[in-house]
Amino acid sequence: MQTEKEIIASILHFIKPDQNIKVAILNGSRANPNAPKDFMQDYDIALYVESLDEAEKYKNNQNWQSKFGELVIVQQNNFDDNAFIFLLQYADSLRIDLSFHDLKTLQTKLKNDSLSIVLYDVKQLVGDISKSNESTYFVQKPTRQEWDATLNDIWWLQICVAKELWRNEIPLAKKLYDVYIMNQLKTLVTWTIANQKDWLVNTGNGGKWLKDMLPEALYNEYLSFYSSANIDEQWDKLLHIGPFIQQIAIPLSVKLGYDYPLVYDENVSHYIQRISTLRKGAAHL
C-alpha cells in the first residue's frame, strides 16, 4: 500500500503535463488535522482548469483511470455549474474523488471550504489562504425559525409513522422514521453538542463523530432508536422517542432562549399511543 505522500505525488505527476490544469486543491478529511486517520480515507482532489470544454477529454477517454491501480468501480457525476467529478475506487482501498472546476470559481470555492490545502498552483493564483481548518464545517446555531420548524417536524412525523404502522405499510413507515425522524433527532443531538462547545465544533459528515463527543450512555441511547423492520420493535422505538426528545430538547431550548412545543409533545404522544392500541380495520379511534 502506498503512503499518502506517494499517492499525492502520483496524482500530481498525472496532472502536471496538462497545461489546462492550473490549480489542485486537497479537500475533505485528509485536509482536516482533527479527522481520524485510516487507509481508506478519500483523496478529495479539486482541479481548476481554464477550459471545462477541454477537460471533457477525461470523460471521452477514461483509460487514464487505470494509472492509479486496479479499478473496482467508477462513478461520474456532473454539477449544475458544468463542473464534474470522477469517484474512483481501487482494489487496494485507494479512493480518489477527482473533480474538475472552472478556474473562475476558485476564490469562491476556497472561501466556502476551509478544509483546503494547495497541492499545485502553477501561476500562483491561490494567494494567501488560512491554514486548513474546520471553520466552515462548524455546526451553526439555529435561528428561532429553524428551531421551531425542526421541533414541529419531529413531532408531526411521529403521527405519520404511527398511521403507516397501523396500516402495516412498513416501507413508507421506515422511510419516514429512518430518514426523516432520525435525521431531525440527529440535528437536535448535534445542536446539543455544539451549544456546549460554543458552536465551534464539527461533528463530521452525517454526525459520524458523535460517538466521540457524547457521553457513552447518551450516545448508546441515541443509537437505540435505530430499528429493524419488525413492526413491534418499530412501535416500541416510536413510543419511546418522545421522552428522549424531551431529555435533550427542553434543556437546549432554555439555553437557546427558544420555546419548547410542550403542547405538541403532549398531544402527539397521547395521539400515537391511541393509534398503537387501535385494532386493525377500525373505523375510528
Side-chain angles (χ1 to χ4, degrees), residues 151-167:
L151 270 294
N152 178 276
D153 206 34
I154 201 168
W155 285 106
W156 174 268
L157 286 164
Q158 290 179 62
I159 292 177
C160 300
V161 172
K163 290 178 179 179
E164 295 309 314
L165 291 175
W166 177 73
R167 294 171 181 141

Side-chain angles (χ1 to χ4, degrees), residues 141-183:
K141 181 179 179 179
T143 64
R144 186 180 295 272
Q145 183 179 14
E146 290 170 333
W147 170 264
D148 290 344
T150 298
L151 270 294
N152 178 276
D153 206 34
I154 201 168
W155 285 106
W156 174 268
L157 286 164
Q158 290 179 62
I159 292 177
C160 300
V161 172
K163 290 178 179 179
E164 295 309 314
L165 291 175
W166 177 73
R167 294 171 181 141
N168 200 22
E169 295 175 345
I170 304 304
L172 181 54
K174 293 300 292 176
K175 177 182 178 180
L176 293 168
Y177 183 88
D178 293 353
V179 177
Y180 299 112
I181 286 183
M182 290 305 297
N183 184 64

Side-chain angles (χ1 to χ4, degrees), residues 22-82:
K22 302 303 181 185
V23 175
I25 304 290
L26 176 68
N27 300 124
S29 64
R30 286 190 181 271
N32 185 351
N34 298 319
K37 304 299 182 184
D38 64 56
F39 71 98
M40 288 194 287
Q41 279 180 286
D42 303 351
Y43 288 81
D44 296 301
I45 309 290
L47 305 179
Y48 291 86
V49 300
E50 284 191 325
S51 170
L52 279 173
D53 287 340
E54 183 177 336
E56 289 281 323
K57 66 185 180 183
Y58 293 101
K59 291 184 186 178
N60 298 332
N61 182 350
Q62 299 187 23
N63 292 335
W64 57 272
Q65 297 168 0
S66 62
K67 292 180 180 293
F68 304 110
E70 179 187 350
L71 275 167
V72 175
I73 190 171
V74 178
Q75 186 176 107
Q76 193 272 305
N77 298 315
N78 301 316
F79 302 117
D80 291 340
D81 62 355
N82 294 322

Side-chain angles (χ1 to χ4, degrees), residues 4 8 45-46 50 86 111 160 182-183 200 217 232 236 252 266-267 277 280 283:
E4 179 176 281
I8 293 294
I45 309 290
E50 284 191 325
F86 293 94
K111 182 179 179 181
C160 300
M182 290 305 297
N183 184 64
L200 299 174
D232 292 329
D236 181 67
L252 182 58
E266 293 174 344
N267 289 349
T277 60
K280 303 304 178 187

